Amino acid sequence: MTNTVYENLYDIVEQRLKEYDGKMLCRKNVYLFSLDNEPGICDGEKLSTLEANEDFFQGAFLSLLNRLPDEAVTKDWESNIKSKKSKVFQAELMNTLLSSPEAFIKSSALINDTIMNPRMRPQPVLEQLIRTTDPVQPEAGESQPKPARPGVKDRLYKVYQKFPAPVRKVAHRIVRGK
Amino acid sequence: MKIYIDVTNLLRVDFLTGIQRVVREVVLRMIRNRKLDIVLLNYHDGYKEFQIIDAQKFMDYFSNGIGSKDELVTDQRVNPVNMQPGTVFFDIDGVWSLSLKRSHLLPILKANGVKLVVYVYDIIPITHPQFCHEQTVYNFMTYIGAYLQCADLIIASAQSTLDEIDKLLEQLKLPKIPGKVSWLGSDFNIKNSDDTEINPEAVDAVAAGRYVLMVGTIEPRKNHALVLEAFEHALFERGINLIFAGRIGWNVQAFEKKIEEHPKRNRQLFHLSGMNDATIDYLYRNAFCVAFPTFNEGFGLPIIEAFQRGTPVLASDIPILREVGGELCDYFDPNSWESFADTCMSWVENAERYEEVKRKVAKYQPVSWDTVTEKIENALETMKVEYPYPVPEKIKQMVYLTARSEDLLETLPYMEAFMPFIEELVICCPDSMVEIMKKEYHGRFRLQYLTDSQVLNGAELPEDHSKRNFFLRCLAMKSDLIDDVFIMADDDYRPLHLIDQDVFIKNGKFCGYYCYHLQNWKGDQNHYSSFDHCMFRTRQFLQEQGYSTWMYESHMPQAIDKRVYQEILEKHPDIETKGYSEWSIFFNYVNTIYPGQVENLPFVVMSWPGSCGAWDLEVFPKEYIFENYYRELYEPGEIFEQYSKDYYAGTEMENRKKVTDYMNYHNAHSQIRAMFQAYRANYEMIYGEYPTFALSFTAEGCTIRLPQYIGIGEEAFTRIPFLIRNEIGLEEAEITYRYIDVQGNEIVTGAEMNMALDQKELEIPVRGIWGGMKGIFELEVRYRGQIFSGRTKLCIMKKGLEA
């Protein structure tokens, strides 16, 4: 399979639409981008190659929701597409799409996430927890690894502070064994 | 012949119109006829696999209205990558909007040797995109674009459509695809008990007086506006009414408003939406005539449906409607309401003429769905090609390619004992080996020799191992010494127990033992070996030729047909020196040209690969019949150290123990893999992505992205994929990886490698170091004189074993 065939097909359709004062809804690079996507899987690395906000916007819809954005949604995002810096806009868009019910129903997922910064990753607290409890390399002369990194308590406390009050209350009870 | 049909769209939509009705009628009959082995599929977005549909329940539901759609799907699933050669994937449903795009699916199926057949209703989104929804245009471009490149057969609903496809293929500079035409039927099943009540609104509309009927979704392409205009100007005033039966489609808001607010609404102008089959039947039967002013159409089913009820039709003067309506329709210019009004008036004013048309129409013999289905089944059956060569009942010859007399002499006793049906060996070997064999071999086989000097006949032998083997085997295929069907082997493939020839040929079919899919092969070493390059070359050749791409290098003897090999060499005379894989070339060719002649089976070999960690198994043997003999595995400290390297009276018994040991060894490795899978799943949960290395080469430099951490079993190897973004066409990258402790001291030397970047994905082995400890994995890339590096943590998950 070659992209040339799809490119030519795109050109044919575009030409016909032009004859009737119509135009293609998405640009050729966006169309080609989506062709060999695995169903429901959006490759962040690949999606990032669509640099213009408008292309990225359509590419994200295609790879996550398997459809082009409709007119109303495009209008909603119009000001963001035009004004926001790419990275901020991209992260916001992906966050919105990934948490949408449609993405959930369609079992869509993002891989190779180069788009959202760490703060916007889905479970930053869990991430921190897991990493603080990783085993660490033993000191010289010790044969067994230590269970966790020194200072883990401080780090855990920082995580704990980030929880909302009701969760903190439960966590407090667990730690105290109550 | 197994036919897969994806009916996902039929199951998802709540209505049965157009394509859905066709799918229902054809599929029901195909199941009932039992002429072909039909497997209905529903694509599941979550599983990313097809679910198999219970055919009986499908019939009950769609034929008799028993049960519900939810109950049709079974627990059985089919992953497209496992669809076998010789099967057919047939698309007849309107599946272009599904998440599983054909641009993604068809190359996978093509690589498997699955035959691809599509029923095309029309290509209007390409020829007349102005009449279609943008999303449909986009989806259809992808769908038809994939089929134009991959289809083995196109069945069109009309000759005009097939002609348009041919024109499009020409425009796209693609080769012509075999095509058949099977018109649509019109004897729709309306016996569903829930579906027989005639809508009272329709009864009122019919009672209002003589009417012209238009059936179908209201959309710009159908040109309803022209008919209404003709009525407004000329026909309402003549006491003729107009009924539109069909739901409101897209881009007709203004027209919809016009109908709603029309002064003649519900007196002379009626719009009936959501009518059942019985009501549509009632409307057809009572109409003065049916109007079909469409600008373009895939088939024009309303014409047939009207004829079937004895109702005359006024149709647009376009090729497809001329094909379907023939002399029984009167035609008008779809761009002129006057033309329509005049044609219609010619019937209103000339009762004799109208009655004559009616009499002709009454004699019309519609194509039945039974006929349509039969035509489609016959077309699908053309995918089955009879194998042109007689397959002998007995195989008696083995052909070896070897330069190692010692290894062959060690292997032959196993063959003598466990393959009693073999009588003769042809040994392709260097001239010097002949004397040794004559002197040293005293077994029961009759030996014949094809020496290098005989087959080469002055030609030079390539240096590369794989190229040399392929070259010699191609030359040997021309020799009369070799039987038409024989078993091809290397000198270190040993049977583990007594076997019969059913292992190689069963029910007249060749058993092809595969161990991988070539399109997924990423190489088994840090540096690509001669074997890896051979696999890459073979893959490229097979893909270019449109052959399937299973990997049959299973390191076991397999049956080969010399006549097919000669056919391949005749068709591709330049391949002898190209260094392809002799096994994959043969079986993939047969898969594609003679589908169904190879029974595709997972390989049955122990010690392939020699080390479990060499590469991740994609296919798992269900049993072990052969051993790929590695002398090293019998050395002290290795897995087979306690076993004999040579055949003796107790070998069969000993092999049983050996297999058990190997399975334990293998299971331990599988546990490591399971640990890695657990890490992967955990990683995905935390970070919302799979752990992947990503290298991006741009004009500005190189960017390295590593997973946040790598989790792995102790002392185990695993392989993590590399994604390459190579914007500058770099051929190779110089890469070094090593393992260091948290202080930065190197603890295990990694490797330096030149990684070819022409692949989409590469894999790099990552090794767990010491139990319970943590190290750091460091990756360096040298690019344009600069070094780019990245680091990530290496976490040991659990004690494992060295693989």
Side-chain angles (χ1 to χ4, degrees):
Chain A
M1 301 263 275
T2 65
N3 269 1
T4 321
V5 171
Y6 292 109
E7 279 181 52
N8 293 343
L9 207 49
Y10 183 98
D11 291 340
I12 290 170
V13 173
E14 188 179 37
Q15 184 55 39
R16 294 206 173 135
L17 277 175
K18 266 185 195 163
E19 287 164 16
Y20 291 89
D21 299 326
K23 63 169 192 167
M24 296 297 272
L25 206 61
C26 68
R27 292 207 307 201
K28 200 195 281 184
N29 61 332
V30 181
Y31 169 63
L32 296 176
F33 149 80
S34 66
L35 288 174
D36 60 349
N37 283 354
E38 268 193 58
I41 292 181
C42 173
D43 185 333
E45 183 90 17
K46 201 173 143 194
L47 181 61
S48 307
T49 59
L50 300 174
E51 282 167 3
N53 278 359
E54 204 174 9
D55 293 348
F56 186 93
F57 181 65
Q58 291 183 330
F61 266 81
L62 284 173
S63 53
L64 281 173
L65 306 182
N66 185 39
R67 65 174 176 86
L68 287 162
D70 54 43
E71 230 172 279
V73 174
T74 310
K75 212 172 176 186
D76 285 348
W77 280 86
E78 207 167 15
S79 62
N80 286 349
I81 293 172
K82 283 181 182 161
S83 63
K84 288 211 172 162
K85 280 185 181 168
S86 285
K87 291 290 165 198
V88 179
F89 161 73
Q90 291 177 357
E92 264 182 37
L93 174 69
M94 293 309 281
N95 213 18
T96 307
L97 292 187
L98 280 168
S99 54
S100 70
E102 189 177 346
F104 177 75
I105 289 166
K106 290 179 173 172
S107 307
S108 306
L110 172 67
I111 60 164
N112 304 318
D113 175 14
T114 53
I115 300 157
M116 293 192 281
N117 66 45
R119 281 184 198 161
M120 300 185 84
R121 284 198 184 116
Q123 300 183 45
V125 174
L126 184 57
E127 175 189 335
Q128 282 201 30
L129 269 173
I130 298 252
R131 296 179 77 181
T132 49
T133 53
D134 283 348
V136 295
Q137 186 162 358
E139 300 290 327
E142 286 178 346
S143 57
Q144 293 299 313
K146 290 179 180 175
R149 189 186 294 276
V152 67
K153 272 189 182 175
D154 293 345
R155 294 183 66 186
L156 275 173
Y157 186 67
K158 278 180 190 167
V159 172
Y160 163 82
Q161 282 178 315
K162 287 182 181 172
F163 287 131
V167 179
R168 282 211 306 269
K169 210 171 169 184
V170 175
H172 189 74
R173 276 188 196 159
I174 293 168
V175 172
R176 295 285 170 201
K178 290 179 182 174
Chain B
M1 189 166 49
K2 190 174 272 183
I3 313 281
Y4 292 108
I5 305 177
D6 179 0
V7 291
T8 309
N9 188 53
L10 178 66
L11 299 195
R12 285 192 189 173
V13 298
D14 294 327
F15 48 86
L16 280 179
T17 58
I19 291 176
Q20 293 80 29
R21 290 209 287 181
V22 175
V23 177
R24 178 187 66 181
E25 296 303 325
V26 170
V27 170
L28 280 176
R29 282 167 177 80
M30 286 175 94
I31 297 170
R32 207 175 294 142
N33 291 350
R34 294 171 190 270
K35 196 170 170 185
L36 302 163
D37 180 8
I38 302 296
V39 181
L40 301 182
L41 303 173
N42 172 59
Y43 186 71
H44 191 287
D45 287 326
Y47 298 146
K48 313 253 180 267
E49 285 185 329
F50 286 112
Q51 299 170 298
I52 292 182
I53 290 166
D54 185 316
Q56 186 55 50
K57 286 184 180 170
F58 181 91
M59 291 241 292
D60 288 344
Y61 179 78
F62 282 104
S63 195
N64 305 313
I66 300 169
S68 72
K69 278 186 185 176
D70 298 338
E71 294 165 1
L72 307 185
V73 174
T74 66
D75 293 337
Q76 286 175 280
R77 291 188 220 157
V78 188
N79 192 314
V81 296
N82 294 326
M83 287 187 178
Q84 295 291 311
T87 59
V88 174
F89 187 85
F90 176 43
D91 256 335
I92 185 170
D93 201 0
V95 291
W96 36 86
S97 59
L98 298 188
S99 64
L100 180 61
K101 291 190 183 310
R102 268 36 188 172
S103 53
H104 175 76
L105 174 69
L106 299 193
I108 295 172
L109 299 182
K110 192 89 183 162
N112 282 8
V114 175
K115 293 288 174 191
L116 303 169
V117 184
V118 60
Y119 190 92
V120 181
Y121 296 88
D122 61 68
I123 55 167
I124 291 169
I126 308 294
T127 55
H128 296 76
Q130 72 275 20
F131 292 133
C132 304
H133 192 282
E134 292 98 331
Q135 186 71 51
T136 307
V137 172
Y138 161 80
N139 287 335
F140 193 80
M141 263 160 49
T142 309
Y143 176 82
I144 204 72
Y147 269 112
L148 293 180
Q149 292 177 80
C150 293
D152 295 292
L153 174 69
I154 291 177
I155 308 172
S157 58
Q159 185 58 47
S160 325
T161 306
L162 210 51
D163 294 343
E164 281 182 333
I165 291 171
D166 284 346
K167 227 184 277 174
L168 185 60
L169 283 166
E170 215 176 293
Q171 256 180 302
L172 294 169
K173 298 186 175 62
L174 287 170
K176 211 173 166 206
I177 300 167
K180 304 253 179 207
V181 175
S182 173
W183 273 22
L184 299 179
S186 53
D187 51 339
F188 282 105
N189 177 7
I190 55 166
K191 285 171 192 156
N192 190 330
S193 57
D194 297 335
D195 213 27
T196 52
E197 205 171 308
I198 294 165
N199 189 297
E201 275 182 69
V203 176
D204 291 346
V206 170
R210 183 161 59 167
Y211 63 93
V212 172
L213 174 69
M214 268 190 77
V215 178
T217 305
I218 298 177
E219 54 174 294
R221 177 169 59 93
K222 301 286 184 183
N223 203 9
H224 287 71
L226 175 116
V227 174
L228 183 56
E229 207 177 346
F231 268 79
E232 286 169 334
H233 284 97
L235 298 173
F236 280 138
E237 65 195 39
R238 308 299 289 263
I240 306 164
N241 299 345
L242 175 61
I243 299 180
F244 293 142
R247 62 193 170 89
I248 294 289
W250 71 287
N251 215 8
V252 284
Q253 293 86 344
F255 187 68
E256 184 188 3
K257 199 168 172 235
K258 186 176 178 182
I259 300 174
E260 271 173 17
E261 294 169 359
H262 203 281
K264 305 274 186 191
R265 168 101 191 197
N266 291 338
R267 289 188 293 118
Q268 281 196 283
L269 171 65
F270 301 88
H271 174 218
L272 305 171
S273 184
M275 298 294 112
N276 61 13
D277 286 354
T279 305
I280 296 289
D281 180 64
Y282 173 75
L283 290 170
Y284 269 127
R285 286 185 193 284
N286 291 289
F288 171 71
C289 73
V290 165
F292 205 32
T294 180
F295 286 114
N296 199 290
E297 206 60 37
F299 186 66
L301 207 52
I303 295 181
I304 305 290
E305 289 180 334
F307 285 172
Q308 200 188 5
R309 278 111 178 152
T311 310
V313 178
L314 297 170
S316 299
D317 194 2
I318 55 175
I320 177 66
L321 298 193
R322 283 268 178 194
E323 180 183 344
V324 174
E327 292 177 351
L328 299 182
C329 284
D330 269 12
Y331 298 93
F332 59 91
D333 177 357
N335 294 305
S336 157
W337 67 261
E338 292 92 343
S339 169
F340 173 79
D342 290 347
T343 319
C344 187
M345 283 312 294
S346 73
W347 283 358
V348 174
E349 288 171 348
N350 188 343
E352 205 176 308
R353 159 100 176 102
Y354 176 72
E355 286 307 322
E356 190 194 328
V357 175
K358 268 204 106 167
R359 270 197 301 278
K360 278 187 189 169
V361 169
K363 287 181 192 161
Y364 176 77
Q365 288 295 317
V367 177
S368 72
W369 283 111
D370 286 339
T371 310
V372 174
T373 309
E374 196 186 335
K375 275 194 170 185
I376 292 175
E377 284 175 333
N378 291 343
L380 288 169
E381 281 202 313
T382 62
M383 290 294 97
K384 196 176 174 183
V385 179
E386 288 302 319
Y387 194 62
Y389 309 110
V391 179
E393 283 179 15
K394 272 198 75 180
I395 319 175
K396 58 177 179 41
Q397 189 185 70
M398 279 190 87
V399 177
Y400 280 101
L401 180 70
T402 176
R404 305 180 297 191
S405 55
E406 194 185 335
D407 293 55
L408 182 63
L409 286 164
E410 282 173 8
T411 297
L412 290 186
Y414 291 84
M415 298 295 176
E416 287 180 357
F418 297 146
M419 292 173 66
F421 53 94
I422 296 295
E423 297 168 9
E424 181 184 280
L425 305 184
V426 175
I427 302 171
C428 307
C429 61
D431 298 55
S432 57
M433 202 175 131
V434 176
E435 282 312 307
I436 301 171
M437 288 303 296
K438 279 183 179 167
K439 196 172 156 193
E440 301 288 334
Y441 180 68
H442 308 290
R444 69 171 177 85
F445 291 137
R446 187 170 66 252
L447 302 192
Q448 303 212 62
Y449 299 94
L450 258 179
T451 63
D452 286 357
S453 61
Q454 284 173 314
V455 291
L456 284 170
N457 199 19
E460 208 167 302
L461 207 51
E463 268 184 32
D464 176 79
H465 171 73
S466 303
K467 285 188 176 175
R468 191 169 59 229
N469 279 4
F470 187 69
F471 185 53
L472 284 170
R473 280 205 164 106
C474 285
L475 295 179
M477 293 297 170
K478 295 168 187 167
S479 167
D480 291 338
L481 278 183
I482 294 176
D483 287 351
D484 286 343
V485 176
F486 62 94
I487 292 172
M488 187 158 81
D490 279 358
D491 55 25
D492 48 6
Y493 304 165
R494 297 176 170 186
L496 289 164
H497 53 74
L498 191 66
I499 56 174
D500 60 34
Q501 69 168 40
D502 274 6
V503 170
F504 304 102
I505 291 187
K506 207 171 180 180
N507 302 325
K509 291 182 179 181
F510 295 97
C511 299
Y513 293 90
Y514 62 93
C515 58
Y516 229 88
H517 290 84
L518 273 171
Q519 69 267 30
N520 297 339
W521 183 254
K522 295 183 177 74
D524 73 338
Q525 303 289 333
N526 301 336
H527 297 90
Y528 292 147
S529 62
S530 164
F531 177 83
D532 294 326
H533 284 295
C534 174
M535 294 306 108
F536 298 145
R537 284 192 297 265
T538 307
R539 174 173 65 196
Q540 192 181 346
F541 170 75
L542 292 170
Q543 282 176 341
E544 280 170 3
Q545 298 302 322
Y547 300 146
S548 65
T549 50
W550 298 80
M551 181 167 154
Y552 292 97
E553 281 59 42
S554 298
H555 285 60
M556 57 176 280
Q558 302 206 55
I560 299 285
D561 192 325
K562 184 176 79 171
R563 296 159 298 186
V564 172
Y565 237 109
Q566 287 169 344
E567 192 181 303
I568 298 170
L569 292 171
E570 209 169 293
K571 207 165 180 176
H572 307 286
D574 57 338
I575 63 170
E576 287 176 1
T577 54
K578 301 282 190 212
Y580 298 142
S581 149
E582 49 270 54
W583 314 90
S584 287
I585 290 287
F586 172 76
F587 285 110
N588 284 304
Y589 180 86
V590 179
N591 273 341
T592 313
I593 304 299
Y594 306 114
Q597 185 56 28
V598 173
E599 172 95 36
N600 239 18
L601 298 163
F603 73 120
V604 286
V605 180
M606 198 170 80
S607 304
W608 176 240
S611 159
C612 278
W615 32 269
D616 289 335
L617 290 189
E618 196 183 53
V619 178
F620 292 89
K622 289 183 183 151
E623 59 175 329
Y624 295 112
I625 299 179
F626 296 95
E627 178 186 356
N628 181 37
Y629 175 69
Y630 279 106
R631 200 181 296 275
E632 303 80 14
L633 297 182
Y634 290 77
E635 298 299 326
E638 295 296 333
I639 175 178
F640 296 143
E641 65 172 332
Q642 58 172 313
Y643 298 111
S644 167
K645 290 178 188 169
D646 300 314
Y647 179 81
Y648 71 105
T651 290
E652 190 164 5
M653 188 60 81
E654 190 180 274
N655 278 349
R656 285 183 199 166
K657 286 189 209 159
K658 210 196 284 182
V659 167
T660 310
D661 282 356
Y662 185 77
M663 282 168 76
N664 290 336
Y665 170 69
H666 208 275
N667 286 343
H669 184 76
S670 299
Q671 283 171 20
I672 289 171
R673 276 307 295 165
M675 264 190 273
F676 180 71
Q677 298 296 350
Y679 148 70
R680 208 175 108 119
N682 197 38
Y683 190 94
E684 192 194 352
M685 188 187 81
I686 300 167
Y687 298 103
E689 61 181 352
Y690 297 137
T692 310
F693 292 8
L695 286 186
S696 176
F697 295 97
T698 60
E700 287 81 41
C702 167
T703 316
I704 300 174
R705 286 191 67 246
L706 300 180
Q708 301 289 334
Y709 75 101
I710 298 170
I712 189 173
E714 174 198 357
E715 287 295 318
F717 278 105
T718 193
R719 305 173 74 82
I720 296 191
F722 252 102
L723 286 172
I724 306 286
R725 183 178 160 199
N726 183 7
E727 286 183 357
I728 47 167
L730 199 66
E731 283 180 9
E732 267 192 350
E734 220 180 299
I735 283 170
T736 310
Y737 63 89
R738 58 175 167 265
Y739 308 91
I740 53 181
D741 65 18
V742 285
Q743 276 83 37
N745 307 312
E746 189 166 273
I747 43 179
V748 178
T749 309
E752 283 181 22
M753 59 197 263
N754 284 332
M755 203 158 71
L757 300 180
D758 55 344
Q759 308 301 322
K760 228 176 174 185
E761 274 187 29
L762 299 160
E763 285 189 334
I764 186 166
V766 177
R767 186 183 181 202
I769 309 162
W770 294 318
M773 291 177 65
K774 184 157 61 181
I776 286 177
F777 180 89
E778 188 175 66
L779 183 81
E780 275 183 10
V781 179
R782 283 168 203 277
Y783 171 56
R784 293 188 174 167
Q786 281 183 282
I787 295 178
F788 300 87
S789 67
R791 282 179 172 196
T792 190
K793 286 191 299 178
L794 194 63
C795 299
I796 311 304
M797 296 170 74
K798 192 182 161 190
K799 192 171 167 58
L801 97 171
E802 188 162 13

